[in-house]
Amino acid sequence: MKLNPLQIGDLIIPVPIIQGGMGVGISLSSLAGAVAKEGAVGVISAAQPGFSNPDFLTNTVETNLKALAYHIKKAKEISNHGIIGVNIMRAATHYKDYVDCCIENGADIIISGAGLPMELPELIGNAPIKFAPIISSVKAAKVLLHRWDKRGQRMPDFVVIEGPKAGGHLGFSEKELLSGLENDYADYDEEVKNIITYVKSFESKYQRPFPVVFAGGVYDRSDIDHYMQLGCDGVQMATRFVATEECDADIAYKMAYIHAKKDDIRIVKSPVGMPGRAINNPFTELRKVEKEKITKCYKCLEKCNPATTPYCITEALIRAAKGDVKDSLLFCGANAYKVDKITTVKEIIKELNA
């Protein structure tokens, strides 16, 4: 049975799946465009999108903004004007510039996490672009929505709940993530239901739907059906789209997912100041005992200090995107070990929406 479409404001999404934004260089226009072409939402990561440009080292911010503009337009072209979103980390420096770039270049949606995007409604103003914060707890949802509501600010068009099985940076403590592994985070469903109840409590006041999308460990149709039954309106999936022909990452990165075993997937410490999930490799093992020598700071994160950080996350992620799978940070979701072949975006969407 086909999934019900997801409506976000005046956007009708035929397949209620949002492809998660993966940076550096894992989800750019090739992947996002292919996903949007199949009726879902393609998402570009705003994390260092200009990394492969020769000017990246000398003029990082301007190069990134030009690259983001290019990838938004290219994804629109690939998808035949499908729905394209951009994931912007709140922890990123020049946050406003990336928001402005999305608005000016025709992105449909901004999704923002890795910190609470307090100022996002003010930055967007009356622009037609839709936006969603990424939150992981009722507490975080209340901090944002209560604040925006009381100040009479624009309210989010939808909300993304990111659970503890997600890849990349996570909105949980290391202790929460490690302790939850014992029962596969079974208790988190209650938190999901509580978040949904809180978010949808604004529907009567604003006389419109407040869709909720779940992210983190969504791998197959049974996972989608599970979160729909909890009351979600759609899901966000990232890991599932990595081992596709259209994914922007190097083939070696894709093969790292295919070769990964369950025990290879670990909770790691990130310079962002929050834990993350990645495939264990020589780089992550070495970082436990030895700090990486940092020769250049890209000033990509507000709270990253090159004098104290264990490694440069930009360099580690760039090496991953380029295929150096031993000396890099290989972000992944909890179910990456289930990936067993290279496929296409079309085949994945067909399987999930059958």
Side-chain angles (χ1 to χ4, degrees):
M1 184 183 296
K2 288 191 179 297
L3 296 162
N4 293 324
L6 169 63
Q7 183 164 358
I8 298 174
D10 58 356
L11 297 177
I12 305 295
I13 302 158
V15 182
I17 294 172
I18 296 174
Q19 163 247 314
M22 297 172 281
V24 172
I26 310 303
S27 62
L28 295 172
S29 53
S30 177
L31 178 57
V35 172
K37 186 177 182 180
E38 299 304 321
V41 178
V43 177
I44 296 162
S45 170
Q48 312 289 36
F51 76 98
S52 61
N53 190 293
D55 295 331
F56 178 69
L57 292 175
T58 56
N59 199 359
T60 304
V61 177
E62 186 177 337
T63 302
N64 279 335
L65 292 171
K66 285 181 179 178
L68 181 57
Y70 166 81
H71 283 292
I72 291 170
K73 292 171 183 174
K74 186 65 177 177
K76 278 286 185 182
E77 180 186 317
I78 292 169
S79 66
N80 194 24
H81 296 284
I83 299 172
I84 300 297
V86 177
N87 181 292
I88 311 174
M89 294 195 303
R90 178 54 198 89
T93 54
H94 301 281
Y95 183 70
K96 179 182 185 300
D97 293 327
Y98 288 108
V99 171
D100 290 343
C101 183
C102 292
I103 295 169
E104 291 164 8
N105 290 283
D108 299 292
I109 297 169
I110 290 173
I111 299 171
S112 190
L116 296 179
M118 292 287 195
E119 70 274 53
L120 189 52
E122 185 179 352
L123 296 178
I124 290 175
N126 295 320
I129 198 167
K130 309 294 188 287
F131 80 96
I134 299 174
I135 53 92
S136 297
S137 65
V138 173
K139 181 180 178 181
K142 288 181 177 179
V143 168
L144 285 175
L145 273 66
H146 178 78
R147 176 190 176 108
W148 293 337
D149 176 52
K150 290 303 178 185
R151 294 189 175 190
Q153 292 181 296
R154 179 172 166 176
M155 295 295 279
D157 297 281
F158 65 109
V159 170
V160 176
I161 301 173
E162 188 171 82
K165 291 185 181 182
H169 297 115
L170 302 167
F172 301 86
S173 69
E174 185 176 11
K175 182 180 179 182
E176 287 172 327
L177 291 168
L178 293 175
S179 63
L181 284 172
E182 297 172 8
N183 66 351
D184 200 31
Y185 307 103
D187 299 337
Y188 192 68
D189 279 0
E190 283 304 310
E191 187 75 2
V192 172
K193 289 191 280 189
N194 291 336
I195 294 171
I196 292 170
T197 298
Y198 178 73
V199 171
K200 291 187 177 291
S201 70
F202 289 93
E203 291 185 337
S204 58
K205 178 176 180 178
Y206 288 91
Q207 291 296 294
R208 67 166 176 87
F210 275 69
V212 176
V213 171
F214 183 81
V218 183
Y219 189 83
D220 55 24
R221 179 58 185 265
S222 65
D223 294 326
I224 295 174
D225 290 341
H226 173 74
Y227 289 106
M228 295 294 202
Q229 288 164 7
L230 290 183
C232 294
D233 303 283
V235 296
Q236 179 172 291
M237 307 173 71
T239 290
R240 192 69 201 274
F241 291 108
V242 169
T244 59
E245 293 176 7
E246 299 90 345
C247 178
D248 296 87
D250 186 89
I251 185 63
Y253 187 97
K254 301 174 189 183
M255 293 307 296
Y257 276 47
I258 291 171
H259 293 146
K261 303 292 187 289
K262 189 172 184 178
D263 289 345
D264 294 329
I265 299 169
R266 309 282 179 85
I267 302 301
V268 299
K269 292 182 179 178
S270 165
V272 177
M274 54 182 73
R277 179 174 279 108
I279 296 173
N280 195 45
N281 64 357
F283 176 82
T284 53
E285 284 296 312
L286 187 59
R287 295 291 79 80
K288 292 177 183 178
V289 295
E290 184 180 310
K291 181 179 179 292
E292 182 181 47
K293 184 178 180 181
I294 298 173
T295 56
K296 175 178 173 58
C297 178
Y298 295 87
K299 297 181 171 58
C300 59
L301 301 171
E302 288 183 341
K303 296 182 179 179
C304 183
N305 181 354
T308 58
T309 187
Y311 59 91
C312 172
I313 193 165
T314 284
E315 291 283 2
L317 292 174
I318 287 175
R319 292 194 296 267
K322 289 182 174 180
D324 183 354
V325 296
K326 292 184 178 180
D327 188 29
S328 62
L329 181 60
L330 301 170
F331 273 152
C332 72
N335 288 321
Y337 70 95
K338 294 180 180 179
V339 178
D340 60 3
K341 64 181 179 181
I342 301 289
T343 183
T344 65
V345 167
K346 188 178 186 71
E347 284 299 313
I348 290 175
I349 297 294
K350 182 180 177 182
E351 173 201 321
L352 297 172
N353 197 33

